[in-house]
Amino acid sequence: MGGGQSVKRLTLFDQLGKSPESSGSRQLIVNSGRYGLTKGGVQADNIELTSEGLKAIDEQVTAREQARVRAELAIQRIDPFEKLYQKFVGNKLPAHAVLVDAAKDVGIDAAHAAEAIDTFVVNLRFVGLLKTLSGAERIIPVEMLLDELPASNRLINSPVQVAPQSTSVITSEHAQYEGTCFYIAPIGEEGSEARKHSDLFLGSFVEPALEAFKLNVVRADAIDKPGIITRQIIDYIMRSRLVVADLSFHNPNVFYELALRHAVKLPIVQIIRANDRVPFDVNQMRTIHIDTSDIYALVPKIESYRAEIANQVRRALEADHIVDTPISTYFPNLSVTL
């Protein structure tokens, strides 16, 4: 069967060490058929892989094609799963209760909604459509998954090392700046204190605070390599509807990017760790101080910090809001045209 040939049902379950007549074995056959992996029912003498099922496991198939087929079988061909995927793709994985309600909305019986959601999430993770990005699990587009994989004929298990593809989430060509908040932050290397801090602030404070404003939060590592200021990053800084700037760690890149935003006089919200001093040059601008000294100080105030950020965002986005920065104060007639 692994080579695409049919196999006796009794032989298959003997190799699996299962009774061919057990309810579990019968369910395996039913489910694999529903997913389009196999042909042959519970009473059939022979079970064989479908052409798509073979691609899903064949080591001779390229990684990109295999990922495409797996995503199609596990999500896109299952009507309620495809509806759920289309509803949430590009966003953080919602809370379980939210997903269960969405499952009911797409026609899944309430008695089976929780089980269906568990299966949906497991399938997303298995095929690679659920990834941890910027400190949170996110449901990614199929195109993004495929772009990360080689399109050549090299084998999945080939010893040849394939250079990783770009993991960019968004490009400036497709950016909807009016619906974007760019998050200026000290990112740091993977696993560093700065990265863990940035992930925490992004996932726990900034994104939840901005949900009500329907703004997509973008951080630089979703565009390019951390620490490198590219044309795309500058586009986001100077065009996005809102910028949230985290001044923690006194990172030089953060202040450089913040100065660019000052020049265009567009809405800004500043946040910082409570034990970091706000530099004199920007301390006249209202800054939200978040106490991260220990978990006992932080956790009880999570909701209040979110509310404080949301309140500042609301004020910053008001039509008549004037952005006061050192540049606007001393050069009120300065105008930057993009």
Side-chain angles (χ1 to χ4, degrees):
M1 189 170 179
Q5 304 298 317
S6 65
V7 65
K8 293 289 187 182
R9 181 171 57 88
L10 297 179
T11 303
L12 173 64
F13 284 103
D14 181 60
Q15 291 296 313
L16 293 175
K18 297 178 179 292
S19 167
E21 302 304 328
S22 70
S23 59
S25 297
R26 296 167 71 89
Q27 194 62 50
L28 281 175
I29 294 176
V30 171
N31 288 345
S32 66
R34 287 176 175 171
Y35 276 114
L37 291 167
T38 61
K39 293 185 288 186
V42 293
Q43 300 298 326
D45 290 333
N46 295 307
I47 305 293
E48 67 176 292
L49 288 168
T50 63
S51 59
E52 292 88 353
L54 179 59
K55 287 181 181 179
I57 64 166
D58 192 348
E59 295 181 355
Q60 304 300 313
V61 176
T62 63
R64 181 178 294 184
E65 177 63 9
Q66 189 169 87
R68 183 194 66 77
V69 170
R70 287 180 175 181
E72 183 177 321
L73 293 176
I75 300 295
Q76 294 172 315
R77 287 195 185 181
I78 311 300
D79 184 62
F81 287 1
E82 170 66 3
K83 290 177 179 176
L84 289 169
Y85 177 70
Q86 292 301 329
K87 181 177 179 65
F88 296 111
V89 64
N91 299 309
K92 289 196 304 181
L93 182 68
H96 191 267
V98 174
L99 287 169
V100 169
D101 286 342
K104 297 173 186 176
D105 290 342
V106 300
I108 297 175
D109 186 89
H112 303 293
E115 181 182 359
I117 288 303
D118 290 341
T119 303
F120 173 64
V121 173
V122 168
N123 285 6
L124 285 174
R125 187 172 287 116
F126 174 74
V127 301
L129 292 176
L130 189 62
K131 299 191 67 172
T132 301
L133 297 169
S134 302
E137 282 196 303
R138 300 170 190 275
I139 301 173
I140 66 171
V142 173
E143 294 76 14
M144 177 182 171
L145 170 65
L146 300 184
D147 284 346
E148 294 177 348
L149 299 172
S152 70
N153 289 327
R154 288 176 177 155
L155 305 184
I156 298 169
N157 295 327
S158 169
V160 177
Q161 296 298 312
V162 179
Q165 303 297 305
S166 168
T167 56
S168 298
V169 178
I170 302 171
T171 63
S172 59
E173 291 83 355
H174 299 93
Q176 301 296 319
Y177 295 112
E178 274 301 302
T180 297
C181 167
F182 188 71
Y183 181 46
I184 297 175
I187 300 172
E189 296 296 326
E190 189 72 38
S192 67
E193 182 185 2
R195 175 65 67 88
K196 292 176 182 177
H197 162 91
S198 185
D199 287 347
L200 174 68
F201 272 33
L202 176 61
S204 298
F205 302 119
V206 177
E207 288 186 320
L210 289 169
E211 284 180 357
F213 302 95
K214 308 299 182 186
L215 292 177
N216 179 43
V217 183
V218 177
R219 194 174 67 178
D221 61 322
I223 304 169
D224 218 315
K225 296 179 181 178
I228 307 298
I229 300 176
T230 66
R231 166 63 185 272
Q232 292 182 38
I233 291 173
I234 293 174
D235 274 343
Y236 275 99
I237 294 167
M238 303 185 76
R239 297 177 186 271
S240 294
R241 186 179 180 197
L242 175 73
V243 157
V244 172
D246 181 2
L247 310 183
S248 306
F249 295 87
H250 289 184
N251 182 277
N253 274 16
V254 167
F255 290 105
Y256 177 88
E257 294 172 16
L258 183 59
L260 292 176
R261 184 69 175 187
H262 284 181
V264 294
K265 304 178 186 177
L266 291 175
I268 304 167
V269 171
Q270 292 181 178
I271 61 177
I272 195 170
R273 295 187 302 180
N275 61 344
D276 284 336
R277 178 181 57 85
V278 181
F280 174 78
D281 291 336
V282 292
N283 69 1
Q284 73 273 33
M285 300 180 65
R286 183 176 176 84
T287 304
I288 298 166
H289 296 256
I290 298 177
D291 188 357
T292 60
S293 56
D294 60 53
I295 192 171
Y296 307 104
L298 177 64
V299 171
K301 298 188 69 176
I302 286 177
E303 288 302 327
S304 63
Y305 289 138
R306 289 175 180 170
E308 191 173 359
I309 293 172
N311 185 51
Q312 289 299 307
V313 169
R314 187 173 293 105
R315 292 176 59 185
L317 296 179
E318 289 174 351
D320 58 351
H321 177 71
I322 298 174
V323 180
D324 287 323
T325 71
I327 292 177
S328 66
T329 299
Y330 296 109
F331 300 94
N333 296 320
L334 177 67
S335 177
V336 177
T337 302
L338 301 177

